Amino acid sequence: MSTLDYVIIALYFIGLLGVSFFVGRRIKSSEDMFLAGRNSSWWLSGISSYMTIFSAGTFVIWAGVAYKSGLVAVIISMCLGPASLIVGKWISGRWRRLGIKSPGEYLDVRFGRGCLNFYTISGMIGKTVTSAVALYSIAIMMYTVADGNLNLYLIILVLGLITAVYTMAGGFLAVLMTDVVQFGVLFSMILLMIPLSFHEVGGVSAFIEKASAIPGYFSGTSGTYTPLWLLLWLLLNTAMIGGDWPYVQRYVSVPTVKDSKKSTYLIGVMFLFSPVIFYLPAMIYRVLVPGPGMDVDPVAMNALGEGAYMSMSRTVLMTGMVGMMMAAMLSATLSLVSGAINVFANVFTLNIWGGRNKEASEKKRIRVGRVFTLVMGLVITGLAMLIPFAGGAEKVIVTILTMVICPLYIPSIWGLFSKRLNSTQLIAAMAVTWVFGFAAKFLVPAEILNPSLLESLCGFLVPSIALSCMEIYSALKGRECEGFRKIDAMVDADADREPGPGMKKAVKSFSFLAFNFFAVTLAAIAVLLTVLLAVREPKVMEVKGIVLGFIAAVLSIIAIYIAYRVIDHRKTFNTQE
């Protein structure tokens, strides 16, 4: 990368920290710190949830699948669309209807303190390790792009500290706002890369012609990713989007049930269309650099696939824009990490520490939440630094933790609907799932059952069957759980009502603030491209028409937003008169 690329990355993260400290001034209570005062608009919550799904694995693992196997990677990602629509129809609104401030409060009331501790310990271990691996993976990517000119441990330390500091300073509102900035950078860069990538291979028709010659490249399934695997993947992601704590936090941060549903529908619609856009550069790179083929040298193909996205970026993007793309990839991973840190700070402050300090002032709660945020961020950073000493064991650990953590989403959702499931049954169901899963993982040969399919079967079917058996047993015994009656009594009466003028004003204020950051982000990219045009940067001049079209599109979006703000201001002024 050039000096300008490093400057762009530095300015980008300075901007993220600036956003965090700016919005941090609005925090006056623990509800502001962890739920943005329930004033998040539905689209803001939806975009933040969408960005939380991205991580280094998106750019390395799944982009690698796109490079090697083609369209099936798009289909895999698109499965999150119907999964989100299912959650929007039946689950996310149910979360918002509860009068809870955190997922931990739900577990405490519905299943008891023991279950809360069980979930918190299990989830925190899993999220801390997986976040550390994600942080390490994206640091390795930057280290590689920098051709080894940067110290790997320094990269990890800087990225970890930036994430901890902006999450600590601005709380959940900073997470929401920085997610919007990250969304703007990521998708503007991808939309710029697509026409540049097509130009590099001779156009759309040339890409289709060459890619069609690769066996199965435009097939929706493969030997590894079979229709059954895709179905289980869809169901697992339904459980994740419906029950994982960072998503639940976003469902309860909006004013009404209707807003919660709309935010989840937005995730679904975006995942029905965006995967095609997102994975095209990696697929085009396969045509540009075919490699030896999976049947000839799978190791070489895996290496090419894992680096496909960044390699395509370096091939087609101009000076400065490579840094912007690197910043987008880095920040997408940081979004996942910051979301995990904030939601566990939420549960710890309001339910673990807060359960023993119920008389604590709001100022004290905010301070405790910020300290926990910083500590968890430092722990994740420290673990990420230790990963090079794991000798590749981190991949096995993540696989095991995936089998441990993913099944936990299912009983928490089950408890929203079942009046019979109790804490003992929940923990027993998880024990059965884990014992069966670990036994199958180490005893069933890959030749008999594909490992990916095995993990999906253990992650979804086993806990579902165990919970179903316990549900039937409790029904036959006529047993009901007292926790369900308690949680049923916690319904928020305001969740189904139209928000009052004060809340509408606050939601509107947050929406405008988010779009202000979004517009400034797009403007910065347009300015950088304009400067590169002015100095006649070689790569820019080769694709001058594409660059000018992109700048025009960005300016049009900004102009439409400014016009809307002017109209809205006049309307508000006339109403006040």
Side-chain angles (χ1 to χ4, degrees):
M1 292 194 298
S2 67
T3 301
L4 180 59
D5 291 313
Y6 289 118
V7 171
I8 292 297
I9 294 173
L11 289 175
Y12 178 81
F13 285 114
I14 290 172
L16 286 186
L17 290 172
V19 168
S20 178
F21 283 103
F22 178 80
V23 301
R25 298 181 303 173
R26 295 174 176 244
I27 296 175
K28 306 299 180 186
S29 67
S30 57
E31 191 166 277
D32 292 337
M33 179 75 181
F34 301 117
L35 292 177
R38 295 196 197 272
N39 293 322
S40 172
S41 61
W42 63 268
W43 69 267
L44 182 54
S45 174
I47 286 178
S48 181
S49 296
Y50 180 82
M51 289 305 298
T52 300
I53 295 172
F54 285 90
S55 70
T58 309
F59 300 102
V60 178
I61 298 172
W62 296 115
V65 173
Y67 171 83
K68 294 178 292 185
S69 304
L71 187 63
V72 68
V74 175
I75 302 300
I76 290 170
S77 189
M78 286 177 69
C79 285
L80 276 71
S84 300
L85 296 178
I86 291 170
V87 173
K89 177 66 176 177
W90 287 289
I91 300 173
S92 60
R94 204 169 182 94
W95 282 116
R96 177 59 191 92
R97 190 169 281 114
L98 299 177
I100 59 172
K101 292 184 178 181
S102 75
E105 184 179 1
Y106 160 76
L107 288 170
D108 194 7
V109 175
R110 177 64 181 84
F111 295 109
R113 175 67 53 166
C115 191
L116 169 62
N117 294 335
F118 169 75
Y119 260 78
T120 302
I121 294 169
S122 302
M124 193 175 295
I125 292 172
K127 287 291 185 181
T128 299
V129 174
T130 52
S131 294
V133 171
L135 185 62
Y136 171 74
S137 299
I138 203 68
I140 280 288
M141 183 182 290
M142 186 171 180
Y143 176 79
T144 304
V145 171
D147 299 318
N149 293 322
L150 296 177
N151 183 278
L152 175 62
Y153 295 100
L154 181 61
I155 296 172
I156 295 171
L157 179 63
V158 170
L159 293 178
L161 286 178
I162 287 173
T163 307
V165 169
Y166 84 66
T167 308
M168 176 185 68
F172 184 59
L173 183 57
V175 174
L176 292 175
M177 295 299 164
T178 53
D179 280 348
V180 170
V181 171
Q182 292 157 359
F183 174 82
V185 173
L186 182 63
F187 275 84
S188 58
M189 293 309 302
I190 292 171
L191 291 174
L192 175 61
M193 272 187 66
I194 289 173
L196 295 177
S197 300
F198 278 130
H199 178 270
E200 189 70 20
V201 294
V204 177
S205 57
F207 163 70
I208 294 174
E209 180 182 348
K210 294 175 183 178
S212 298
I214 302 172
Y217 208 66
F218 288 121
S219 172
T221 60
S222 69
T224 300
Y225 306 109
T226 63
L228 176 59
W229 185 93
L230 290 172
L231 175 61
L232 290 169
W233 175 253
L234 188 155
L235 295 172
L236 276 170
N237 278 284
T238 300
M240 179 192 74
I241 297 169
D244 196 6
W245 285 7
Y247 300 101
V248 175
Q249 185 182 29
R250 285 155 177 78
Y251 302 149
V252 301
S253 70
V254 294
T256 67
V257 169
K258 184 179 179 181
D259 291 319
S260 183
K261 287 174 171 284
K262 286 166 67 176
S263 73
T264 323
Y265 290 147
L266 176 62
I267 305 170
V269 171
M270 291 176 72
F271 268 109
L272 286 175
F273 297 101
S274 63
V276 177
I277 298 170
F278 188 81
Y279 289 118
L280 261 176
M283 293 173 68
I284 296 171
Y285 189 70
R286 174 67 187 274
V287 169
L288 191 66
V289 182
M294 289 297 293
D295 54 338
V296 176
D297 191 347
V299 175
M301 290 298 289
N302 286 332
L304 283 169
E306 289 178 356
Y309 222 99
M310 203 62 226
S311 296
M312 196 67 194
S313 300
R314 299 177 76 177
T315 300
V316 302
L317 290 177
M318 50 290 300
T319 302
M321 302 311 287
V322 174
M324 190 69 79
M325 188 67 205
M326 189 71 241
M329 293 182 178
L330 291 169
S331 61
T333 297
L334 301 192
S335 173
L336 177 145
V337 177
S338 66
I341 292 174
N342 185 261
V343 76
F344 277 102
N346 177 351
V347 173
F348 175 81
T349 304
L350 299 182
N351 304 114
I352 305 297
W353 179 87
R356 299 177 180 179
N357 298 271
K358 295 181 179 179
E359 303 302 320
S361 65
E362 287 299 309
K363 189 175 182 179
K364 178 72 171 177
R365 290 173 187 269
I366 292 171
R367 190 182 304 122
V368 170
R370 282 178 167 159
V371 170
F372 181 89
T373 298
L374 180 61
V375 170
M376 186 170 178
L378 291 175
V379 170
I380 289 172
T381 304
L383 281 176
M385 289 182 168
L386 293 174
I387 286 175
F389 301 100
E394 76 278 358
K395 295 179 180 178
V396 177
I397 293 170
V398 169
T399 298
I400 292 173
L401 284 173
T402 299
M403 295 179 69
V404 170
I405 302 303
C406 286
L408 286 172
Y409 309 141
I410 298 172
S412 62
I413 297 173
W414 198 290
L416 286 173
F417 300 91
S418 169
K419 60 185 178 182
R420 297 185 176 89
L421 183 66
N422 59 40
S423 177
T424 302
Q425 292 173 327
L426 185 154
I427 294 174
M430 290 300 94
V432 169
T433 300
W434 294 340
V435 170
F436 185 91
F438 290 154
K441 182 68 179 176
F442 293 107
L443 296 177
V444 178
E447 296 78 16
I448 296 178
L449 190 62
N450 181 284
S452 297
L453 182 58
L454 175 64
E455 291 171 16
S456 298
L457 287 168
C458 294
F460 183 81
L461 284 185
V462 176
S464 297
I465 292 171
L467 289 168
S468 296
C469 291
M470 291 175 183
E471 183 77 17
I472 294 170
Y473 176 80
S474 294
L476 292 174
K477 293 289 185 178
R479 295 175 180 174
E480 293 186 5
C481 180
E482 180 64 25
F484 184 82
R485 286 191 285 271
K486 291 180 180 178
I487 204 72
D488 199 41
M490 289 182 64
V491 172
D492 183 357
D494 293 329
D496 288 303
R497 295 173 184 165
E498 185 72 14
M503 180 168 280
K504 283 184 177 180
K505 184 178 180 180
V507 170
K508 189 176 184 180
S509 172
F510 282 0
S511 294
F512 281 158
L513 182 62
F515 216 98
N516 287 345
F517 290 135
F518 181 75
V520 169
T521 301
L522 294 184
I525 295 172
V527 167
L528 176 58
L529 287 171
T530 303
V531 170
L532 293 175
L533 276 171
V535 300
R536 304 183 68 82
E537 201 272 347
K539 281 189 177 181
V540 172
M541 300 312 294
E542 287 179 16
V543 288
K544 184 177 179 181
I546 295 174
V547 172
L548 286 172
F550 180 83
I551 293 172
V554 167
L555 294 178
S556 298
I557 292 171
I558 295 173
I560 292 170
Y561 174 61
I562 292 173
Y564 173 78
R565 288 297 303 268
V566 170
I567 294 170
D568 179 77
H569 178 74
R570 289 177 178 174
K571 188 186 297 183
T572 304
F573 181 76
N574 292 334
T575 302
Q576 290 174 347
E577 286 188 333

